[in-house]
Amino acid sequence: MAEITLDVRRLRAFAEVGYQVAAGGGAHGAMAALRRVVPLDAYEFVAFDPATGRHHSVVSDGHARIDRDAAEEYAGLDAYRRALATRAPVAMPEPGSERYFRRHLAPYGWRAGLTAPLFLSEGRYTGLLHLASKDPFPRLTAALLAAVSPMLAHVTDLSRCVIDPVGLPPDFRAVAYDRLGTRRRVPGRETSVVLWDDPAMAAYARAFIDSRELSRHGLWLGGDGGWHEVRLLRAGVGFQGALQGAVAAERPCPLPYDLTGRELDVLTRVAAGDSNPQIAAALVLSVRTVTTHLEHIFAKLGCDSRTRLTTKALAEGLCRLDV
């Protein structure tokens, strides 16, 4: 049996694993670096989707991807539960995993398998890495794989989003959505509870994804009874941002310019191009009341025409979002 020893060249290979993951080289770049240390013939990354509670294959090399049912089959084995409990790689075939090994690995000629559970350094589980080889793995393989698994866990982190880093101020709390309305956490951002718990916001995000807009910015009365400044940005979600999605982000705020809620409703209708009679009909007000509200709005925002009022409202996100 071959032995693994560490030297400067191999330590550099480990550093390259982290660099490939962090710099966007992805799974194949990271595994090319790992292969300098660990002899293997095939690998497969299986991601855990926290939105659905299921596993599915995302990247493989050396054999075809294992289908979704097979990924879930492995998650039902004692070997899987042992891997999660110990956070250590588990070898195959071992008692309880022989049938799985015969069905999904042996047909390719593999004699040894090794599965590492992938946990981020913060402790969040993201999926599995399956290794396969035509020969038994060297003695230190499991230990070395365990050492790099926190870096490799980023490969299977389906909660990652691809967003414009300058489009979202740092103090906004966020939630990501895909086109099905599935909610995902945004790494590096505090999760917005008020957005997460509001089903109407998920539907609103779906409509935004289906629109041609790149972003939206406005004011929203949340389920907590408070006003929030909300921004929506197009984003890729899921594995390597492959799914169309959006990031909705918010921060609590008072209504700007001392506007009242009713004045905000009138301003939003003006920005949409409605006339005073149309606004009155939509808000169940008299035309005179709408005119009075508009006089107050012009004074508060320092505008002397509907055109300037509309330009200011759209530029500063002063319209109420129709959630």
Side-chain angles (χ1 to χ4, degrees), residues 48-257:
F48 172 72
D49 189 344
T52 62
R54 294 179 64 84
H55 294 77
H56 60 92
S57 172
V58 290
V59 179
S60 66
D61 182 68
H63 57 71
R65 293 185 188 178
I66 296 176
D67 60 35
R68 182 184 295 268
D69 290 341
E72 284 298 294
E73 180 185 339
Y74 184 84
L77 299 179
D78 287 338
Y80 168 76
R81 289 185 282 271
R82 186 164 68 254
L84 290 192
T86 62
R87 298 197 178 188
V90 174
M92 286 194 295
E94 287 192 347
S97 64
E98 299 96 336
R99 181 181 178 186
Y100 184 91
F101 189 88
R102 287 195 304 270
R103 289 181 60 188
H104 301 294
L105 295 178
Y108 295 96
W110 312 136
R111 294 179 55 199
L114 191 64
T115 297
L118 301 177
F119 287 86
L120 297 171
S121 56
E122 66 198 48
R124 181 161 57 85
Y125 171 67
T126 67
L128 302 162
L129 172 59
H130 297 300
L131 302 185
S133 175
K134 295 178 182 178
D135 300 303
F137 287 109
R139 181 175 56 85
L140 293 180
T141 301
L144 295 176
L145 189 57
V148 297
S149 62
M151 292 183 286
L152 295 175
H154 290 279
V155 171
T156 53
D157 185 3
L158 295 187
S159 70
R160 291 193 301 173
C161 302
V162 181
I163 64 173
D164 178 1
V166 301
L168 200 59
D171 56 340
F172 276 64
R173 299 170 295 195
V175 176
Y177 302 89
D178 61 26
R179 295 185 73 255
L180 297 178
T182 303
R183 302 165 300 182
R184 301 176 187 275
R185 301 187 186 280
V186 180
R189 293 279 177 174
E190 180 183 353
T191 298
S192 170
V193 176
V194 68
L195 292 178
W196 187 277
D197 291 340
D198 193 318
M201 183 56 71
Y204 187 76
R206 290 200 306 271
F208 169 73
I209 294 168
D210 290 336
S211 75
R212 295 184 177 182
E213 297 175 71
L214 297 178
S215 63
R216 286 184 192 173
H217 180 199
L219 299 167
W220 172 61
L221 184 61
D224 58 356
W227 287 98
H228 300 258
E229 179 184 356
V230 173
R231 295 174 186 255
L232 281 90
L233 299 172
R234 288 197 171 277
V237 301
F239 178 66
Q240 295 184 344
L243 300 177
Q244 291 186 40
V247 168
E250 59 78 23
R251 63 183 172 188
C253 69
L255 287 179
Y257 298 100

Side-chain angles (χ1 to χ4, degrees), residues 13-26:
F14 270 47
E16 181 68 14
V17 171
Y19 172 79
Q20 289 293 331
V21 172

